[in-house]
Amino acid sequence: MRINKYLSGCGIDSRRKCEQLVLDGRVRVNGKKVTELSTDVKDDDSVEVDGRYVGLSHRKVYVMLNKPKGCVCTVSDEKGRKTVLDYVKIKDRIFPVGRLDYDTEGLLLLTNDGELSNKLTHPKNMVKKVYSVRVEGEPTDAELKRLRGGVEYNGEKYGAAQVSVVGVDDGNARLEITVTEGKNHEIKNMIESLGRRVLFLKRTGLGGLKLGGLSRGEWRYLSARELDMLKSL
Ligand code: URA
């Protein structure tokens, strides 16, 4: 099995992140550092990441967290900031599926299932992400139309989005925006392209999963039904 697939299957991180671990020289197979992505691993090989042995776990774990603001979506942070794993204290080595910004709240999936993570984050699969967005001011009909048709910001194109106005508080609009691309800072950049700012951002849905009544910082395991739904996407 390819080294990145093996590591991802061990619940270390997504396949792409595991490739980086290899390139960074943090992986050893049978005691020897490997930096080639083409490295194959056999069942009886011993594999270490940062000096710790890893092994394929058979138990797959799927967790939904209501990520609060003020933590990063990584398994460890070089700047010592709080990570999402500070909220989910379980023995299994899980990693976040995709990213929410430091100051974004809401639905985050964590798992040790590299296959499902790849499936949910690969742009070609166009998995729906639903956001509740508070925007500075009230976007005009023309601005909403631009968002629905796709916008460009700093040379990056953002595809068509479903946008509805949920309400207005203190002169600032609350929008529900559904996107399928999953680009970095996607919602903020889409709103910036209108010359406006995002005041508050929360993800409420992912691939049919709904955040529901989970409080900030609270987590739960996915139900079998939710998992079947994600797998059938
Ligand atoms: N779009 C953003 O701008 N930030 C997020 O965290 C998620 C989507």
Side-chain angles (χ1 to χ4, degrees):
M1 187 189 290
R2 277 289 142 92
I3 184 73
N4 65 326
K5 190 173 176 193
Y6 180 91
L7 292 172
S8 182
C10 292
I12 305 298
D13 212 320
S14 65
R15 273 200 216 170
R16 257 176 276 168
K17 291 279 171 54
C18 289
E19 284 184 356
Q20 198 57 49
L21 290 177
V22 175
L23 294 174
D24 291 345
R26 294 168 61 185
V27 179
R28 286 175 181 270
V29 177
N30 300 327
K32 269 181 68 183
K33 188 197 279 185
V34 294
T35 51
E36 293 291 328
L37 296 178
S38 57
T39 304
D40 277 319
V41 179
K42 296 185 296 308
D43 275 349
D44 56 354
D45 285 333
S46 80
V47 180
E48 292 163 71
V49 176
D50 293 335
R52 280 172 59 191
Y53 285 108
V54 298
L56 280 179
S57 150
H58 296 296
R59 185 177 117 102
K60 295 274 188 264
V61 178
Y62 307 87
V63 163
M64 182 197 293
L65 168 71
N66 183 352
K67 176 197 175 294
K69 284 181 187 171
C71 63
V72 285
C73 285
T74 46
V75 288
S76 69
D77 184 50
E78 73 283 357
K79 293 185 193 151
R81 291 172 296 184
K82 218 167 193 181
T83 79
V84 287
L85 287 187
D86 289 317
Y87 292 92
V88 188
K89 300 273 189 205
I90 59 174
K91 286 214 184 87
D92 307 88
R93 298 182 60 148
I94 51 174
F95 58 85
V97 176
R99 287 272 166 100
L100 291 175
D101 294 336
Y102 187 72
D103 58 353
T104 300
E105 298 187 8
L107 197 166
L108 184 74
L109 192 63
L110 298 113
T111 185
N112 54 5
D113 183 342
E115 292 296 322
L116 188 71
S117 170
N118 271 334
K119 180 173 160 179
L120 294 176
T121 51
H122 201 293
K124 82 166 192 277
N125 293 328
M126 298 183 75
V127 172
K128 283 188 179 176
K129 295 122 195 139
V130 186
Y131 291 90
S132 171
V133 191
R134 192 134 60 83
V135 176
E136 189 175 42
E138 287 185 59
T140 62
D141 286 345
E143 287 173 348
L144 296 174
K145 197 169 161 195
R146 276 168 59 196
L147 289 179
R148 289 180 184 124
V151 290
E152 196 172 325
Y153 183 71
N154 278 348
E156 184 77 46
K157 289 204 166 85
Y158 296 88
Q162 288 170 29
V163 184
S164 55
V165 181
V166 180
V168 179
D169 308 309
D170 301 328
N172 298 316
R174 252 182 311 126
L175 308 180
E176 184 180 89
I177 302 184
T178 304
V179 290
T180 55
E181 288 176 316
K183 291 182 173 164
N184 277 347
H185 313 306
E186 188 166 15
I187 300 289
K188 289 176 189 162
N189 288 348
M190 288 164 64
I191 299 298
E192 292 269 348
S193 80
L194 307 176
R196 297 186 182 275
R197 265 188 330 133
V198 167
L199 302 176
F200 174 80
L201 184 57
K202 176 176 178 175
R203 183 155 70 189
T204 59
L206 171 72
L209 291 180
K210 289 195 168 65
L211 185 61
L214 269 191
S215 310
R216 286 193 182 105
E218 218 174 46
W219 66 271
R220 66 170 175 82
Y221 290 108
L222 293 194
S223 68
R225 217 166 131 234
E226 287 173 322
L227 188 56
D228 284 348
M229 183 185 66
L230 289 185
K231 288 189 170 172
S232 68
L233 282 177

